[in-house]
Amino acid sequence: MHERLRALLSILHRQERFAALDGFSLRNSVQARSTPDRPFLQGQALTLVTLPITGGSDCPSRDGQPASQCGPGLTLRTNDPLAAVLRDAGDYRGHVQLPMTPLPQQNGFEVYREGDQTVLVRSRPGVPLFIPMSRQSYLEYMGTPGAAAELATLSPAERQETACAATRRTILKRCEDTDLYMATINPAYFDTAKGPASVQLITLAYFERNTDRHQVIRDAVSTLHADDLPLD
């Protein structure tokens, strides 16, 4: 897997605007994420590559002293669907909220945003990374008395409707009243016949902060096309 990731790094470095950048570092371990609610991810490799933003006037100060670096400028992960929508995978509870209208693609990449973080996703063609949850499946997943009470009020047709974003007063809203819907990782996304070391998903995350250094990353990413990063 390390060789495969180094090959991806080499592809990035060959891009004209990436070639002038320095500081890529490959984390020294290949992690595997396996949890009871996501058994289909067992053995999938999660390797992290970062290009740090170096310190300077663009970095926020810490205790009155300039920070040595502002953190990662570009983060590359493989085979980690949650990297597309969550900064902290520990926040995953079996579902995520996605916009009803997807963001426009960028050079063949799917685009996701969370706050000031943008994530470009190179995924398998024709295989959705996330699938909508029905109102029934979401309420059953919640497993609370309130969810059970709401489920009991739904007709068979309503139970099969897409679940939309939760609120404090009600567990679910009608989809026409919100621009978010509830989704979960598609258990059929990964081709398990290819083995856990195969790269079947690539995410590139960077921050949309208003500094010269972050603009360098954005300019470099803008020259990259999804086809430049081949999947296995």
Side-chain angles (χ1 to χ4, degrees):
M1 173 56 76
H2 278 139
E3 292 182 1
R4 185 69 176 86
L5 265 293
R6 291 185 193 283
L8 291 176
L9 277 180
S10 178
I11 290 171
L12 291 179
H13 275 297
R14 287 199 299 269
Q15 304 297 314
E16 182 178 353
R17 288 192 176 179
F18 278 101
L21 301 178
D22 195 11
F24 276 107
S25 61
L26 179 63
R27 292 287 176 88
N28 60 8
S29 64
V30 176
Q31 307 167 41
R33 181 175 289 162
S34 175
T35 59
D37 63 327
R38 285 177 285 147
F40 49 88
L41 283 183
Q42 185 169 0
Q44 293 296 336
L46 304 175
T47 305
L48 182 64
V49 177
T50 62
L51 173 65
I53 297 288
T54 57
S57 59
D58 289 336
C59 292
S61 61
R62 296 176 182 173
D63 300 325
Q65 299 296 320
S68 60
Q69 68 176 42
C70 301
L74 181 70
T75 301
L76 182 152
R77 288 187 176 92
T78 61
N79 298 347
D80 186 1
L82 297 180
V85 291
L86 296 176
R87 295 189 193 182
D88 180 5
D91 289 340
Y92 183 64
R93 294 174 174 80
H95 60 271
V96 295
Q97 294 187 355
L98 296 179
M100 299 287 285
T101 303
L103 295 172
Q105 287 198 350
Q106 177 177 320
N107 297 340
F109 290 101
E110 296 175 52
V111 180
Y112 294 85
R113 286 204 180 98
E114 183 197 12
D116 60 353
Q117 179 177 260
T118 294
V119 185
L120 303 183
V121 178
R122 172 71 160 103
S123 59
R124 292 171 56 200
V127 185
L129 186 57
F130 298 99
I131 54 175
M133 299 181 75
S134 69
R135 296 175 75 177
Q136 177 172 339
S137 63
Y138 178 73
L139 292 170
E140 289 177 341
Y141 179 88
M142 294 295 291
T144 63
E150 181 167 335
L151 180 60
T153 68
L154 301 180
S155 67
E158 290 173 328
R159 291 176 179 227
Q160 300 311 308
E161 292 176 349
T162 298
C164 287
T167 68
R168 292 182 179 179
R169 292 189 298 273
T170 61
I171 294 177
L172 296 175
K173 296 178 70 174
R174 297 182 62 86
C175 288
E176 57 265 31
D177 296 333
T178 180
D179 61 353
L180 298 172
Y181 73 95
M182 314 306 293
T184 190
I185 298 172
N186 180 6
Y189 177 83
F190 290 103
D191 182 354
T192 56
K194 291 186 175 182
S198 65
V199 174
Q200 301 185 49
L201 177 71
I202 298 170
T203 58
L204 289 167
Y206 57 96
F207 291 101
E208 296 283 358
R209 292 171 183 159
N210 188 26
T211 74
D212 292 341
R213 290 176 173 84
H214 287 90
Q215 185 62 49
V216 167
I217 299 295
R218 289 196 295 271
D219 289 343
V221 169
S222 69
T223 68
L224 192 64
H225 195 279
D227 291 341
D228 297 327
L229 299 175
L231 301 175
D232 294 334

